[in-house]
Amino acid sequence: MPRSDTATRAAELRELLNRALIAYHVDDDPIMEDAAYDVLYDELAAIEAEHPELVTPDSPTQRVGAPLSGQFQKVRHLSPMGSLEKVTTDEAIAKWADDVRKRLGTDEPVAYVLEPKIDGSAINLVYENGAFVRGATRGDGVQGEDVTPNLRTIGAIPLQMQGDAPPLVEVRGEVYMPLSGFREFNERLVAEGKPTAPNPRNASAGSLRQKDSSITAQRPLSIWVYGTGRREGLDELTTHWETLQWLRAHGFRTNPLAERVESIEEIAERVRAWELRRAELDYEIDGIVIKVDSFDQQARLGSLHERPRWARAFKWAPMTAVTRLNEILIRVGRTGALNPWAVLEPVEVGGVTISRATLHNEEDINRKEIRAGDDVIVQRAGDVIPQIVGPAGRHRRGTKEFRMPTHCPLCGTEVVKPEGEAMHRCPNRACPSRGLEALINWVMAAADIDGVGEQSVRRLWDLGIVRSVPELYRLTREQLMEVDGYAEISAGNAIEAIAASKAIPFSRVLFGLNIPDVGWVTGQTLARHFGTVDALMNATQEELVEAEGIGPERAEAIAEWFRDDDNRRLVEELRDLGLRFEAGEEERPVEGPLTGKRYVVTGTLERFTREEAEAALEARGAKVSDSVSSKTTGLIVGEEPGKSKLTKAEKAGVPILSESLLVQLLRG
DNA sequence: CCGCCTCGAGTTCT
DNA sequence: CTCGAGGCGG
């Protein structure tokens, strides 16, 4: 082949391959198969090997260079890469927009551009006459590290700009690792026995700082370009939105989700829409960047402390975080169940600081490979209660699988774990933890005594003053005043509240006795069915099964509890103290306009507390339960409702009622 | 015997 | 709120 023809062919191939790269990475619309690309790439590489003088800097074969020896060079950005002021609430956005309007004049229209805030590495790319000459990390904003060889390996970064090129332009973007690529990358690391990367941001930042660009070339990196720094000869661009279009037209990968809005109200609405869409993306975004569109307005707004007044970064409170699990402790519940919980290095998740989390049971802990001493991922997804998802990355050296203690940490009794059950239990009925937890349950839940809190109960227990429910009712004001925090008046009030709680209905007394499997509802069932404690105490298993919701298992557990002499003595003691052991008014089923209906209440109501609303419904004969099923008549929804209840109601076709409808319902 | 439903129990933070 | 498990109807 004559030399000139070879040169023509090389140029053709270069042009075609570069176009294919843009189609694949930028337009997301491939123009050739991977295999075809490889064939053409090999052809070009062969020509270049034979005619080194035909190699050009923008040739796709030139994306991987020689390994770097020594440190990365520091380079000054031509114009500084500022940082954005953060906002986390709708109100803060509104306040900012207000400030913008005031500074620009209240009747001047302002348009905003919203873009996803990519969680990756901020990068500055310098193009001279259309050629990519240098790229650097953000660094401190003034100077960063020159990582040009590594950036050249990223297919989505054009080595030569498309179309007319200005003499000089700095192009800014965020290099990131797509989630799909991140998963594969970590799988490869696992296969090679290497430590995995904790998150995509670390993986991309680490990839950019490789000394050998052939390693970076193997990493699944991409870029979203979002603007320019210094630019020469681009005076025709007068808005940010136009700049994004221009960048895209010149072969840069701009994010298709970017939007231009003309009112501040739309911003709040878009922010919410994106929060929902966020989980579907193949990359992580931690917020939304909001910019005033017009360059003229941007210039007039200026900056404050190096931060532009014309832009804000809206950030969602992260719903997961990584922190150290310091210790796994055991708490023994009122039924003797051993409950492991994690002591965490305090960390902020979803706007609140988390320092502890429950870990359910041994099997669950080890299935998730949770170990004391490791860094773990803490999550607060949708719900309020934090959970530990698993270890963040590799186990630290020396951390060991969790083992439930073989003996109760409080009384030393050997722990049992019945076949097929998930929970370990301390079988000692006299275990101090059970007595204490039972007392707390009485004060906080069953009798719900005002003026005495969990901490006071614990202190009374520790001081040895109150170690049982009867002792609580024999407590004197003088004794209570030995506890910190109680003066004459508060102690007197508390003693009165304790005495008043003797009047709680029979069903609540039953709940407070700590009979296994007897809670709020079963207490009520038993009170109604048997009427008196004597009838209940002497009931056989067969008689117990007659009651609604009591099967053989519960019947046996209840009968066994009442066979125990200590328990029978407790009942007698409480009866002598004046507690109620006969069903009264409260236990009589209410007949009313809403008899036979079942409601569930979720969220915060304006005119009542949840308890008041539930009591009002029950007073009219309705049954209030706490989970939605197809049998639910209606779900009453207040502010900030539980999402799972709403979706379940929608699925089951259960009507959703507002507070005003509830009021109408109560009126009849 | 399976699947739905309900109950019990343990729980986090401000 | 969520999980585990008993109750119970199909």
Side-chain angles (χ1 to χ4, degrees):
Chain A
M1 202 188 288
R3 198 190 166 284
S4 64
D5 288 0
T6 312
T8 313
R9 179 62 182 158
E12 233 175 63
L13 287 169
R14 255 192 333 261
E15 205 268 333
L16 190 56
L17 290 169
N18 277 332
R19 210 141 45 79
L21 280 176
I22 290 179
Y24 181 84
H25 290 289
V26 181
D27 301 334
D28 208 14
D29 183 19
I31 54 172
M32 65 174 79
E33 299 284 324
D34 292 358
Y37 181 91
D38 290 343
V39 169
L40 296 175
Y41 182 95
D42 289 344
E43 187 188 344
L44 177 61
I47 295 174
E48 289 177 345
E50 209 174 313
H51 305 279
E53 74 280 5
L54 292 180
V55 177
T56 61
D58 72 330
S59 167
T61 62
Q62 298 306 297
R63 284 185 175 264
V64 177
L68 181 76
S69 59
Q71 297 291 305
F72 291 103
Q73 291 296 309
K74 292 259 185 229
V75 284
R76 250 186 123 73
H77 304 307
L78 301 176
S79 79
M81 297 176 80
S83 56
L84 297 181
E85 180 124 358
K86 273 181 275 179
V87 289
T88 55
T89 61
D90 286 357
E91 293 74 48
I93 296 175
K95 197 168 158 246
W96 166 64
D98 232 34
D99 180 62
V100 165
R101 226 166 323 174
K102 270 187 207 133
R103 284 175 189 277
L104 293 176
T106 39
D107 45 355
E108 184 173 320
V110 186
Y112 298 88
V113 175
L114 308 184
E115 294 160 87
K117 187 171 182 305
I118 313 294
D119 205 8
S121 309
I123 289 296
N124 190 36
L125 308 167
V126 181
Y127 285 83
E128 287 174 9
N129 297 314
F132 174 49
V133 296
R134 191 170 63 246
T137 60
R138 176 175 178 279
D140 60 7
V142 176
Q143 53 176 7
E145 285 177 327
D146 185 338
V147 288
T148 312
N150 291 339
L151 291 169
R152 289 178 65 94
T153 68
I154 300 174
I157 295 179
L159 299 180
Q160 177 70 42
M161 215 179 255
Q162 300 294 104
D164 302 340
L168 176 76
V169 62
E170 280 183 302
V171 174
R172 282 167 184 178
E174 193 87 1
V175 166
Y176 70 98
M177 192 177 280
L179 293 177
S180 49
F182 173 69
R183 276 189 291 272
E184 272 170 41
F185 173 57
N186 261 350
E187 277 163 23
R188 210 162 66 210
L189 290 174
V190 169
E192 291 166 4
K194 293 181 186 153
T196 54
N199 56 53
R201 183 166 43 80
N202 277 20
S204 65
S207 301
L208 281 180
R209 299 192 81 259
Q210 293 295 319
K211 295 278 168 63
D212 181 350
S213 61
S214 67
I215 294 177
T216 311
Q218 292 162 26
R219 303 284 170 86
L221 297 178
S222 191
I223 191 170
W224 290 118
V225 157
Y226 55 72
T228 60
R230 162 88 65 90
R231 52 176 186 264
E232 285 171 13
L234 279 175
D235 297 338
E236 76 270 23
L237 298 178
T238 61
T239 69
H240 179 59
W241 187 247
E242 285 168 11
T243 305
L244 290 176
Q245 313 305 318
W246 184 90
L247 284 165
R248 188 171 181 84
H250 286 73
F252 292 96
R253 193 159 181 263
T254 59
N255 194 290
L257 298 179
E259 293 180 293
R260 185 174 182 275
V261 302
E262 312 219 347
S263 79
I264 191 70
E265 290 73 29
E266 279 176 83
I267 294 182
E269 182 209 318
R270 301 317 302 155
V271 162
R272 233 172 306 287
W274 284 31
E275 185 166 12
L276 299 176
R277 232 174 3 183
R278 182 183 178 191
E280 296 159 17
L281 304 175
D282 191 32
Y283 45 90
E284 286 196 338
I285 63 178
D286 57 352
I288 296 173
V289 175
I290 310 165
K291 292 174 181 160
V292 170
D293 190 27
S294 149
F295 286 162
D296 168 58
Q297 289 178 335
Q298 288 185 5
R300 279 155 56 208
L301 288 162
S303 335
L304 179 68
H305 309 311
E306 314 273 310
R307 293 174 178 207
R309 283 207 187 90
W310 44 267
R312 285 294 182 273
F314 176 87
K315 285 188 96 171
W316 289 295
M319 279 305 168
T320 65
V322 172
T323 192
R324 177 80 79 98
L325 196 176
N326 289 324
E327 211 181 345
I328 296 176
L329 294 180
I330 308 292
R331 185 174 162 167
V332 185
R334 71 186 169 95
T335 59
L338 267 63
N339 207 234
W341 54 283
V343 182
L344 301 167
E345 203 54 40
V347 66
E348 201 173 295
V349 186
V352 292
T353 308
I354 306 292
S355 55
R356 41 160 96 192
T358 15
L359 294 168
H360 306 113
N361 55 57
E362 183 184 71
E363 200 193 334
D364 193 48
I365 294 173
N366 290 325
R367 188 165 33 81
K368 292 180 180 165
E369 293 192 53
I370 294 165
R371 300 180 183 184
D374 275 348
D375 284 334
V376 293
I377 299 166
V378 183
Q379 187 182 50
R380 238 170 62 101
D383 53 353
V384 193
I385 295 166
Q387 346 161 244
I388 295 181
V389 181
R394 239 194 187 181
H395 295 300
R396 217 177 281 269
R397 257 172 51 154
T399 66
K400 288 196 285 282
E401 263 211 343
F402 172 76
R403 279 276 153 258
M404 200 58 104
T406 53
H407 295 267
C408 173
L410 277 114
C411 67
T413 307
E414 195 170 350
V415 161
V416 298
K417 181 173 180 279
E419 194 65 35
E421 276 184 32
M423 287 287 190
H424 288 71
R425 283 175 194 284
C426 165
N428 176 13
R429 259 191 293 233
C431 178
S433 68
R434 286 212 206 186
L436 174 58
E437 298 291 338
L439 193 59
I440 291 172
N441 184 56
W442 181 279
V443 171
M444 305 301 291
D448 193 16
I449 301 170
D450 290 339
V452 187
E454 181 173 339
Q455 291 316 311
S456 315
V457 176
R458 283 183 189 279
R459 261 176 275 146
L460 286 164
W461 179 277
D462 290 342
L463 293 168
I465 300 172
V466 176
R467 291 271 166 102
S468 68
V469 177
E471 281 175 14
L472 176 73
Y473 285 102
R474 288 194 287 262
L475 180 69
T476 63
R477 198 174 52 135
E478 287 68 32
Q479 285 177 309
L480 187 54
M481 282 168 65
E482 286 176 40
V483 176
D484 301 335
Y486 282 101
E488 213 161 313
I489 294 180
S490 55
N493 289 341
I495 296 292
E496 259 178 56
I498 292 170
S501 74
K502 285 184 184 173
I504 57 168
F506 181 34
S507 56
R508 283 201 181 217
V509 174
L510 285 174
F511 166 44
L513 288 175
N514 265 324
I515 305 165
D517 283 339
V518 177
W520 198 268
V521 176
T522 310
Q524 188 144 319
T525 312
L526 293 174
R528 275 185 194 161
H529 194 266
F530 292 95
T532 69
V533 77
D534 296 307
L536 175 60
M537 207 160 14
N538 300 315
T540 61
Q541 210 178 320
E542 290 75 44
E543 287 165 336
L544 281 159
V545 174
E546 304 274 303
E548 200 192 325
I550 308 289
E553 301 242 358
R554 283 181 187 166
E556 173 50 27
I558 295 164
E560 198 201 317
W561 193 89
F562 279 111
R563 273 199 297 272
D564 183 278
D565 282 339
D566 288 338
N567 292 335
R568 293 178 88 100
R569 258 197 300 279
L570 174 66
V571 169
E572 290 314 322
E573 221 179 334
L574 289 171
R575 183 158 34 192
D576 290 344
L577 281 161
L579 280 113
R580 295 170 58 186
F581 283 92
E582 281 184 24
E585 274 301 302
E586 299 88 345
E587 276 86 14
R588 194 165 307 148
V590 198
E591 284 292 323
L594 299 180
T595 298
K597 313 258 191 225
R598 306 172 82 97
Y599 294 95
V600 177
V601 187
T602 180
T604 319
L605 302 173
E606 274 175 26
R607 268 174 281 183
F608 334 69
T609 65
R610 268 253 286 283
E611 288 70 31
E612 284 165 357
E614 289 172 4
L617 285 164
E618 277 169 353
R620 285 158 184 78
K623 201 167 153 53
V624 178
S625 67
D626 128 306
S627 56
V628 177
S629 74
S630 57
K631 291 183 183 165
T632 310
T633 316
L635 175 68
I636 293 148
V637 176
E639 284 295 303
E640 291 181 57
K643 263 186 209 162
S644 62
K645 283 182 186 158
L646 262 180
T647 47
K648 219 169 160 191
E650 275 164 27
K651 240 197 203 150
V654 170
I656 293 168
L657 312 175
S658 65
E659 185 171 350
S660 53
L661 278 166
L662 168 68
V663 174
Q664 285 179 32
L665 207 64
L666 294 174
R667 285 207 191 108

